[in-house]
Structure formats: C-alpha cells, structure tokens
Amino acid sequence: MELRRRDYRVERPLLNQEQLEELGSQTSATGTLQWRTWFQCSHARARALLLQYFPVLAWLPQYPVRDWLLGDLLSGLSVAIMQLPQGLAYALLAGLPPVFGLYSSFYPVFIYFLFGTSRHISVGTFAVMSVMVGSVTESLAPDEAFLQALNSTVNVTARDAARVQAASTLSVLVGLFQVGLGLVHFGFVVTYLSEPLVRAYTTAASVQVFVSQLKYVFGLHLSSRSGPLSLIYTVLEVCWKLPQTVVGTMVTAVVAGVVLLLVKLLNDKLRRQLPMPLPGELLTLIGATGISYGVGLQHRFGVDVVGKIPARLLPPVAPSPQLFARLVGNAFAIAVVGFAIAISLGKIFALRHGYRVDSNQCFPVSCSMSRSLVQESTGGNTQVAGAISSLFILIIIVKLGELFQDLPKAVLAAAIIVNLKGMLMQFTDICSLWKANRVDLLIWLVTFVATILLNLDLGLAVAVVFSLLLVVVRTQLPHYSVLGQVPDTDIYRDVAEYSEAREVPGVKVFRSSATVYFANAELYSDTLKQKCGVNVDHLISQKKKLLRKQELKLKRLQKENKLPKQAAASKGTSISINVNTSVIDIESNDVEGSKAKQVSTGTELEGIAASGQEDAKAPDMSSLKTLGLPQPDFHSLILDLSSLSFVDTVCLKSLKNIFRDFREIEVEVYMAACHSPVVTQLEAGHFFDASITKQHLFASVHDAVIFALQHPRSSPVNPVLVTKL
C-alpha cells in the first residue's frame, strides 16, 4: 500500500537547551527526602501500612460470598486432591519423611491466605524447591553417616531426624531472607532473572529431579552426593548398579507411570467436556496403596513403602543455630528461586484477571504451576480456595494420613517423573530461541549446562553472573550510525539502512544505540572518528608538529639576526609584513632558504610584532589551510544523545575530549535530544563552562542541523539548502 504524501508545515523557533528551559519554565524538583517520609506518622499512613502487610484485611471484607464462594470451594477441593499425592511425593525429593510434604501443603497455604496478594497461585510443595532442599539435607546428613556397625544398615530414624532438623533450619533461613528482602523492597531482583534463564534453570532442575528418582524406580541404594558433578556421578552409579534392580519395584513404577500418563492424556482430550480434571494421581495412590496392602508388596517382593505416617500435627521445634553458617548460601539461593517462580506465575494470573500482585510481599514457599492452573480452571477466584484446600489437607493429616503407610515409594517416584513432562518439554526452547534470539539461546544453554554440572545453587549464581556480563558486553558493542535526513521530513535515520536518507552537506550526525559510560566510552570516541572519515588524531598530531616547527624556525631567525628592534623604531619607520609560513615554506630546500635570508631582519621581526595587532587583517597562522593540511569535508558535528540514560565521569571526559579534538580540526560540535535527567547530570558534573554552554545543546537533531547550517564554523552555507530543510 502506497503512503499518501501530505504537505505539512511546522513553524517554531530553533530551541537550544537554554531557550527550551526558559520556554518550558523548568524548575528543579524540590520534594521531601524519601527517608523523612519513613518517620512520618498519620492515621492514613498507619492504615496503608497495615493493609500492605496484611492484604487479607483489604479484600476479605469485600468478598462477594454469593458469587465466589462456590467456585472457591470446588477449586479448593480439586487442589487438595492434587496436594495429597504431590505432597507425599515431593517430600521424597527433599529427603524427608512423606508426612512433611503434607505439612508443607498445610501451613504455608494458610499463611499465604493472610499475607499473599495473588488470588490464583497454589502455594505449597514444588519439584524444583524440593530438590534444592534435598541436595542440602542429603549433603548434611548422608546415609553413610548413619550406618549401624552390626549389619551395615542405615539408621533411618536418626537419619530422618537429622534431615528434618537441617530442613527446618533451612526453611527458617529462607523465610528470614524473603521477609527481610520484602521489607527492604528487594522485589526488583526478579528483573535479573530473565525468562530464558528461569526456563533453562527449571529444565535443568527437572533433569536433577528425574535422576534423583531413579533409585526409587529401580529400588537401588545409592551414595549421597552433592556439589559439582554430583549429577554425573549419580548417573554413573545408577548405570553401574542396574544389575541390582529390584524387579518388583521397577514393575510397580512402570505400571503406575503408564496409568498416570493415560489419565493425563484422557484429561487433555476431554478437557472441554469435564467440569474438572480426573484426579489420576489420587486414584493411582489409592489403588496402589490397596494393592500393596492386599498383596504384601513389601514383604513378598521387597518393594519399599512410605512407612509410618503420624496422624497428628507435630509440635514446632526451634532451628539449630549451629547450622546457620553452613546453610546461608543455599538459603539465599532457594529464597531467590522460590521468589522468582512465585512472582512470575503470580504476574501471569494477575495480568489475565486484571489485578496486581506485590513483588515485595514475602513468599516463604513457592508454588506449583500444575496446581495453580487447576485452581484457576476450576473456578477459584481468591485466596479462599487455598485456605479451603489447606483445611482438607489438615483433615487428611489428622485422620487419613495413616491409611497411606503401605503406599510404594516407586508410585510416588512415577508420579513425580510424569509431572515433569511440562518442564522437560521446555527443551523445545532451543529450536525457538535459535530462530528468534540467539543471545537468549546462549543464556539458556549456559544456564542449563552450569546447573547440570555445578548443581542448583552454583548453577544459579553462574547463570545470573553470565547474563549480567552479557548485558554489559552488549552495551560495550552497540550499533553506531551516521544519520541522514529522510527527504521532506525532519526525521533522521541511519544512512546505511535507509537508502533514501541523505547526509546534510557540511554536517555530520552521529548516534549510538546504547548509553555512553565507562565500559564503552573509548569505543564511542574511536568509532565516531572512524565514521567521520577523518583521521582526527593524525591530523591533530601533524598540526602540532608543523606549529612546533614554525615556532622553532621563528626562534632561530630571531637568534641569527641581532638587529635591535629599537633601531627600526628610531628611524620612524613602521614596517609590517605578514609572515605566512606554510608547509611548503617550512619544508623548503636550501635555495629557497637562502632567498628568505635576504629579507631584511628588522622587517621580519617588525612584522611578527605587528601581526598580533592586525589579527583581523592577517589570516590565522595555525589554521589547517594555512598550514597546508587537508580540511574535513564537514564543518559541524552533531551528537545525537537520545539514547543516553545516565552519564558518569568517564562519559563527561569523553564528551569534553570530543569537543576539544574536533575543534582542533576546525569542526564545531553540538549535542541534541538529551533527556532532562541527563542534562541535570551534565550540570552536576560541571560539563558546561565558557567553551561548552547549553547553547551547544539542542532540543532535536533537526534544530541542531539548521543552526549548524546557519552558523558554519568555516565553510559558507548554502541558503537554498537551509530553506529546503
């Protein structure tokens, strides 16, 4: 479709920064210092703080019971049905007794009902978080440390007690980190976890989860490992011990996995016909428990089962302060990962349903994508659905938990592996990122490989550092361009990309796609000089060299000719000639030098003395033309600074050097399109002085171009060209 050409005319004066500030009546912002507002007290502020940290007081009084209660009730029941098997299964990932998975499905959900701001995420156990906790508990309390001397078996009771102590201490530290980070409004940290990084990290974590469940699938007893390359060693050990597989355990896991897959496929196919998904996991767990109890899988086939589940709530136990120092690093990594997953999922549902989540509100646990989708799709509207699911879990813990004592661990492992399908499907990101953005693909691959090889905590640190370094590298290598005017407009674009854009004769416009700071300031200056087509440094060097030769020659002439100045003055003669020394004169041969010596010495000295009094008549002896040096084909340089978001001291010095160097080669420099915060920083850095004023800074590139054409430094301006512009 061809664009219509419309004639338009905009008439306004050219505006430099001084005129723009005067016209817009710019005033400096004089607001109350932020720290002073923290100590101000009022009824409204107290109420706002109360609602901020206890959001349940804001939404619960306005809860529409008639419209939302039924949906939240059904949603809470559906989520509770999923919470039961997942809580039992993910406790294995954490290296803890299964009942603690149920505890994690009750306490955090009820607490989130009071403090959380997302209406739809299902808080509780999550595979990635569980495996991160498991890597800590297994490293602090490995099986080898609890071997009994008599029969070389593991003292399971003592081992589980030590792991529970480590996990509870870790949970306290994670909670303290997240509450503290929330109080200091550290929610912005999630911006440093890009989507490719999070997806690659969760994909690598799913591989870690898959490998960790192989010992339950095959019924093997493996050594507890943690740290770099632990995953590789675990895979090698599984392969080495495959001949020791317990056949009954493997068959149980395979059958349970097939059943779960079939139910999931059926749910996907009948999604529109079913009011809620079939509880395949719950049905599988109930069926497997009944078969295990009836057939006696543990005694007859050696299938490992869950074991005793206490039908009560255990009293709280204080954490172990001795473990704080050993758990600080892992606690911070778990806090950041859990926060990133929870806030990312919370923002997805918030955008979908038109409300806002507070990224600085604490998240002592994380959330599950599958349960959150079920909670939303089954009619959940608020955190009431989570509170209802937690009450169902409480009933299960108190009354029904002991019924699952004969549940095979292989069934739980199969449930975990089947639920990894969604995260393992993220491997398809490699193909999509290869087509869309290969830099993001590089972040994805580095994050995945680092997490696989270095474990979850170190892998996350390497991924974040690498992504930040990549951002720095990308700002160090921005796109630099020389701009030309699009015909019949005041728009300027890269002449290399727009074939119709033409450079304005005598004016060079330069732009960088990134802000100029210490990491790329030198590259900015070098590229500017290269794009201008003039070897600025060499030209300045030649100019200084010739001026130095000129000065030395004049001093030599003064020494060789001793005729006093007063003699010429006493004769009443006033002789003044112009010593026009060019490159040819300085580098003349001996014959030309001998001719120069025949000139009256007094006349030369008198001319040198008089030249300072007649600058208006005599040409500048230091100009490029006088010195015989080539002149640039442009008289003005305009720096488009619209991409600058901040300036540092290195940027200030670099800009000052650009002004100095180009003025040395008789090119005037202007700046254009600076944002107000940048102008303020330039003023604070004492950038403007007698030689560089705000009159060199223009509101737009077009203003600067017209002013440069009307006030050329050396070349005559074409009035027809100015009129066209």
Side-chain angles (χ1 to χ4, degrees):
M1 181 177 178
E2 197 174 307
L3 293 175
R4 294 182 182 178
R5 308 196 94 190
R6 295 184 177 181
D7 295 332
Y8 66 94
R9 183 182 300 275
V10 177
E11 294 185 358
R12 65 170 177 83
L14 301 182
L15 295 176
N16 57 39
Q17 187 62 29
E18 286 184 352
Q19 296 166 338
L20 182 61
E21 291 177 2
E22 182 179 355
L23 182 64
S25 300
Q26 184 183 20
T27 57
S28 58
T30 57
T32 306
L33 295 178
Q34 182 67 30
W35 64 270
R36 292 183 179 177
T37 62
W38 298 343
F39 301 101
Q40 293 178 354
C41 186
S42 65
H43 175 74
R45 179 168 173 76
R47 184 177 183 275
L49 286 175
L50 182 64
L51 296 181
Q52 178 182 354
Y53 293 110
F54 294 91
V56 66
L57 300 177
W59 63 265
L60 189 59
Q62 304 174 2
Y63 182 78
V65 178
R66 182 176 299 178
D67 297 332
W68 286 1
L69 182 59
L70 180 60
D72 284 338
L73 183 63
L74 295 176
S75 176
L77 177 61
S78 304
V79 172
I81 291 173
M82 293 185 66
Q83 284 269 29
L84 172 62
Q86 290 188 3
L88 295 173
Y90 291 157
L92 296 181
L93 290 179
L96 302 174
V99 69
F100 286 91
L102 298 180
Y103 294 155
S104 298
S105 301
F106 167 66
Y107 289 110
V109 180
F110 185 73
I111 293 174
Y112 191 82
F113 167 77
L114 300 175
F115 297 99
T117 55
S118 177
R119 302 176 189 172
H120 295 88
I121 64 173
S122 175
V123 177
T125 55
F126 182 53
V128 175
M129 301 287 290
S130 300
V131 77
M132 293 181 76
V133 174
S135 66
V136 176
T137 57
E138 292 182 3
S139 63
L140 292 180
D143 292 340
E144 292 79 5
F146 299 92
L147 292 175
Q148 297 176 345
L150 297 178
N151 52 9
S152 298
T153 58
V154 178
N155 187 346
V156 177
T157 304
R159 182 202 66 184
D160 288 349
R163 289 183 176 180
V164 168
Q165 181 72 28
S168 62
T169 305
L170 180 65
S171 300
V172 170
L173 276 178
V174 171
L176 290 176
F177 270 123
Q178 292 189 332
V179 171
L181 295 177
L183 291 176
V184 298
H185 293 263
F186 202 67
F188 70 90
V189 71
V190 74
T191 59
Y192 296 104
L193 303 177
S194 63
E195 183 182 0
L197 187 151
V198 172
R199 291 178 67 87
Y201 185 79
T202 53
T203 305
S206 66
V207 175
Q208 297 258 13
V209 171
F210 177 82
V211 172
S212 69
Q213 295 307 295
L214 293 179
K215 62 180 180 181
Y216 299 111
V217 172
F218 297 108
L220 303 176
H221 295 281
L222 304 179
S223 303
S224 299
R225 290 186 172 86
S226 62
L229 300 180
S230 59
L231 182 70
I232 307 300
Y233 292 135
T234 301
V235 172
L236 294 177
E237 187 177 3
V238 168
C239 297
W240 180 260
K241 291 186 176 181
L242 273 180
Q244 304 175 19
T245 299
V246 178
V247 178
T249 301
M250 185 179 68
V251 171
T252 302
V254 171
V255 172
V258 171
V259 171
L260 288 171
L261 279 176
L262 291 176
V263 173
K264 284 188 176 294
L265 291 175
L266 187 62
N267 280 331
D268 292 339
K269 189 173 183 179
L270 303 178
R271 183 185 306 169
R272 296 182 178 179
Q273 288 77 19
L274 295 175
M276 59 176 290
L278 295 175
E281 294 172 340
L282 180 62
L283 296 177
T284 303
L285 262 62
I286 294 174
T289 303
I291 294 173
S292 174
Y293 177 78
V295 178
L297 293 180
Q298 182 180 16
H299 303 291
R300 295 181 58 184
F301 300 100
V303 177
D304 197 9
V305 297
V306 169
K308 184 179 180 181
I309 298 178
R312 58 189 174 88
L313 292 175
L314 297 180
V317 179
S320 175
Q322 294 82 5
L323 297 175
F324 280 179
R326 302 175 64 181
L327 296 176
V328 167
N330 299 99
F332 185 78
I334 293 174
V336 173
V337 172
F339 167 75
I341 294 171
I343 193 61
S344 300
L345 194 57
K347 285 185 175 181
I348 291 174
F349 290 115
L351 290 173
R352 186 179 299 175
H353 293 276
Y355 63 93
R356 184 178 178 274
V357 294
D358 185 359
S359 61
N360 292 306
Q361 199 74 5
C362 59
F363 289 91
V365 290
S366 192
C367 57
S368 167
M369 169 69 85
S370 58
R371 292 198 310 271
S372 299
L373 291 173
V374 169
Q375 179 169 323
E376 183 207 25
S377 61
T378 53
N381 297 296
T382 64
Q383 295 91 318
V384 172
I388 293 173
S389 71
S390 69
L391 293 178
F392 279 114
I393 294 297
L394 177 62
I395 296 173
I396 293 172
I397 293 174
V398 175
K399 295 296 183 181
L400 305 177
E402 57 185 357
L403 299 178
F404 293 94
Q405 292 182 3
D406 291 309
L407 175 64
K409 290 184 178 180
V411 175
L412 295 177
I416 292 172
I417 292 174
V418 171
N419 280 323
L420 293 177
K421 174 188 173 184
M423 284 191 287
L424 292 175
M425 289 296 293
Q426 292 177 155
F427 277 110
T428 57
D429 290 352
I430 296 177
C431 298
S432 60
L433 290 177
W434 174 264
K435 299 175 182 177
N437 192 319
R438 296 186 183 179
V439 175
D440 284 345
L441 174 61
L442 184 61
I443 294 175
W444 199 101
L445 293 175
V446 169
T447 302
F448 179 81
V449 173
T451 306
I452 291 293
L453 297 181
L454 302 178
N455 220 339
L456 293 168
D457 49 356
L458 292 177
L460 177 64
V462 170
V464 172
V465 170
F466 177 78
S467 61
L468 292 179
L469 287 177
L470 200 58
V471 171
V472 174
V473 170
R474 294 173 77 176
T475 59
Q476 283 184 285
L477 301 173
H479 176 68
Y480 296 109
S481 55
V482 173
L483 305 184
Q485 185 188 26
V486 178
D488 300 327
T489 70
D490 59 351
I491 299 173
Y492 292 79
R493 290 294 182 264
D494 187 357
V495 294
E497 297 178 359
Y498 290 77
S499 58
E500 293 298 321
R502 295 287 183 267
E503 290 188 50
V504 179
V507 179
K508 194 75 73 172
V509 184
F510 181 76
R511 185 181 186 275
S512 169
S513 62
T515 191
V516 183
Y517 68 114
F518 68 91
N520 62 6
E522 184 177 358
L523 180 62
Y524 179 87
S525 300
D526 293 343
T527 309
L528 168 63
K529 295 173 181 178
Q530 178 185 354
K531 291 277 188 180
C532 287
V534 179
N535 194 335
V536 179
D537 296 331
H538 178 71
L539 196 57
I540 294 175
S541 175
Q542 288 293 104
K543 179 179 178 180
K544 290 181 178 180
K545 182 179 178 181
L546 293 175
L547 289 175
R548 192 162 48 250
K549 286 183 177 181
Q550 187 182 76
E551 183 180 358
L552 291 175
K553 179 180 179 181
L554 294 177
K555 287 183 178 180
R556 179 172 54 81
L557 291 175
Q558 188 176 10
K559 288 180 181 180
E560 290 179 356
N561 304 280
K562 300 294 183 179
L563 184 62
K565 206 173 191 181
Q566 293 81 2
S570 62
K571 295 180 180 179
T573 58
S574 177
I575 304 173
S576 128
I577 66 170
N578 176 38
V579 182
N580 187 4
T581 310
S582 65
V583 179
I584 302 175
D585 296 328
I586 294 173
E587 298 179 355
S588 59
N589 53 32
D590 295 335
V591 177
E592 293 172 335
S594 62
K595 291 180 180 179
K597 290 181 182 179
Q598 297 175 4
V599 181
S600 169
T601 307
T603 304
E604 288 184 354
L605 295 177
E606 198 67 36
I608 296 170
S611 62
Q613 303 170 358
E614 301 181 1
D615 357 357
K617 299 180 181 179
D620 185 6
M621 297 175 58
S622 62
S623 65
L624 297 178
K625 183 177 181 180
T626 305
L627 294 174
L629 293 174
Q631 295 177 272
D633 58 354
F634 58 97
H635 54 76
S636 299
L637 170 66
I638 298 173
L639 303 178
D640 181 359
L641 302 182
S642 58
S643 62
L644 258 65
S645 57
F646 68 93
V647 291
D648 57 7
T649 55
V650 179
C651 175
L652 292 175
K653 292 180 180 178
S654 179
L655 291 176
K656 278 183 173 284
N657 290 339
I658 289 172
F659 271 84
R660 181 200 63 200
D661 291 346
F662 277 89
R663 284 174 173 176
E664 281 285 334
I665 62 171
E666 302 168 10
V667 174
E668 188 54 74
V669 183
Y670 303 99
M671 300 181 296
C674 258
H675 302 295
S676 296
V678 176
V679 177
T680 303
Q681 294 174 30
L682 291 174
E683 291 176 333
H686 305 290
F687 177 76
F688 298 109
D689 53 23
S691 60
I692 306 175
T693 66
K694 288 186 179 180
Q695 295 180 359
H696 293 87
L697 177 57
F698 288 87
S700 69
V701 172
H702 195 60
D703 286 0
V705 169
I706 295 178
F707 183 87
L709 290 174
Q710 292 177 346
H711 302 81
R713 184 181 179 99
S714 56
S715 305
V717 65
N718 186 352
V720 178
L721 179 60
V722 178
T723 305
K724 288 183 178 180
L725 289 176

